[in-house]
Amino acid sequence: MLNTVKFNFLAWRPMFILGGLLFAAFCALLPTSAHGQCAQWDASGEWQIQQSNGYTLSVDLTQSGKAINGTSSYGTTTGGTKVLGVLVVGGDPAIHRDNVSGNIEGDDFYVLIGTAGVYRGKVGPSGRIDGTTYDQNHPSSQATWFSSRTMKCSPPPPPPRPKPIKSSGKAKVESAPTPPSTPAPPMKVPGIVASQVIFTSIYQPVGFVVLTWDAGPDHPNAQVWVKINGSPKILVLKQPKGGLQQTVERGRTYEYILAEKTGKTLSTVMVVAVN
């Protein structure tokens, strides 16, 4: 008598469901395309295109960004005796060379070899290209092909370098706009005048003033003196006529005096440095 073993599917169903979920999760982790692994492939270098119709082309490619250029070559024989299309006796070797141009964008490969050979392909997860070729003048004449080696992944371009920020390390001090030099007002001769006080910054305690004087032809020995905040006068310059830039301190009063050598005052001008 044969023993009959009954398989309880309901008892094993939870294990089948769990196994299916684990398999689905594992498949989700697998790369779905080369694009997921490499943003831009590099097809440069020497390699071969192996076609399903028996032809093998050698290519030598250069790549600049996405653009591809280079040369291709393949060998044939001329003359001789063939049996079922295969040369068995005699024949002279010949090398055919053509130009190659095209591009590779991401994992999409496209080149034109010669004037009519179209080669399209996709870079797979392993880096190898698989595709289809056809004669541009006779699109029905097609073959499949694959690359003899895997392609390289081009490194992503480096991020742009940030522009350096120039800094003196000091807090920025707001400067008051420097007013244009104010010409001295007209004066009588003999006389002395002063421009307005100029400070290069609102925080700068020191500024300057421009003096202009002329004692006239009757006072060839005139001199310029100054009193600061009413102090005794100090000699500035022994010169009867001219101009001079003088430093002044904020908060002080200056009295400039044009006087004879004998001490006789010819003209005065007051400057209050409170700008």
Side-chain angles (χ1 to χ4, degrees):
M1 180 183 294
L2 295 176
N3 292 325
T4 303
V5 179
K6 295 182 178 179
F7 180 75
N8 190 343
F9 175 78
L10 294 177
W12 285 86
R13 185 171 62 177
M15 298 186 66
F16 280 117
I17 294 174
L18 178 60
L21 291 174
L22 291 175
F23 179 75
F26 174 74
C27 291
L29 294 175
L30 293 176
T32 57
S33 69
H35 186 75
Q37 294 183 2
C38 181
Q40 179 62 51
W41 290 94
D42 181 1
S44 62
E46 298 182 15
W47 48 280
Q48 293 180 325
I49 293 175
Q50 298 176 349
Q51 300 182 186
S52 60
N53 57 7
Y55 283 99
T56 298
L57 280 72
S58 297
V59 295
D60 186 1
L61 306 179
T62 59
Q63 182 172 329
S64 176
K66 299 176 182 179
I68 292 176
N69 290 283
T71 59
S72 72
S73 62
Y74 67 95
T76 62
T77 55
T78 60
T81 303
K82 293 184 178 181
V83 177
L84 298 177
V86 179
L87 182 71
V88 292
V89 179
D92 299 320
I95 300 296
H96 294 268
R97 301 184 187 278
D98 284 303
N99 291 326
V100 180
S101 62
N103 60 71
I104 181 168
E105 187 165 353
D107 54 5
D108 290 320
F109 179 87
Y110 167 83
V111 293
L112 179 67
I113 297 180
T115 59
V118 176
Y119 287 78
R120 295 184 181 274
K122 274 278 195 189
V123 185
S126 66
R128 194 179 300 275
I129 306 177
D130 291 282
T132 304
T133 178
Y134 61 90
D135 187 330
Q136 194 166 238
N137 299 322
H138 306 283
S140 60
S141 177
Q142 296 188 3
T144 60
W145 65 274
F146 63 90
S147 62
S148 62
R149 68 161 173 81
T150 58
M151 303 298 112
K152 299 170 289 186
C153 184
S154 298
R161 296 179 61 183
K163 293 182 179 179
I165 300 174
K166 295 181 180 180
S167 173
S168 63
K170 298 179 181 179
K172 184 178 179 181
V173 177
E174 294 219 5
S175 299
T178 303
S181 298
T182 304
M187 64 180 176
K188 295 180 180 180
V189 178
I192 183 169
V193 294
S195 70
Q196 71 181 73
V197 180
I198 297 175
F199 292 95
T200 58
S201 167
I202 59 175
Y203 302 106
Q204 184 67 36
V206 178
F208 65 89
V209 67
V210 178
L211 300 175
T212 307
W213 67 92
D214 186 355
D218 296 333
H219 308 283
N221 298 315
Q223 304 169 351
V224 178
W225 298 75
V226 63
K227 288 183 178 181
I228 304 174
N229 288 345
S231 64
K233 63 182 182 179
I234 303 170
L235 180 64
V236 175
L237 189 65
K238 293 181 179 181
Q239 187 172 308
K241 181 179 181 180
L244 184 67
Q245 179 175 304
Q246 283 284 283
T247 300
V248 295
E249 294 184 22
R250 194 184 297 274
R252 293 193 173 190
T253 301
Y254 298 81
E255 181 183 4
Y256 293 96
I257 305 166
L258 178 63
E260 270 280 20
K261 183 177 181 181
T262 60
K264 179 183 176 182
T265 298
L266 302 175
S267 180
T268 63
V269 62
M270 296 290 293
V271 173
V272 182
V274 292
N275 188 12

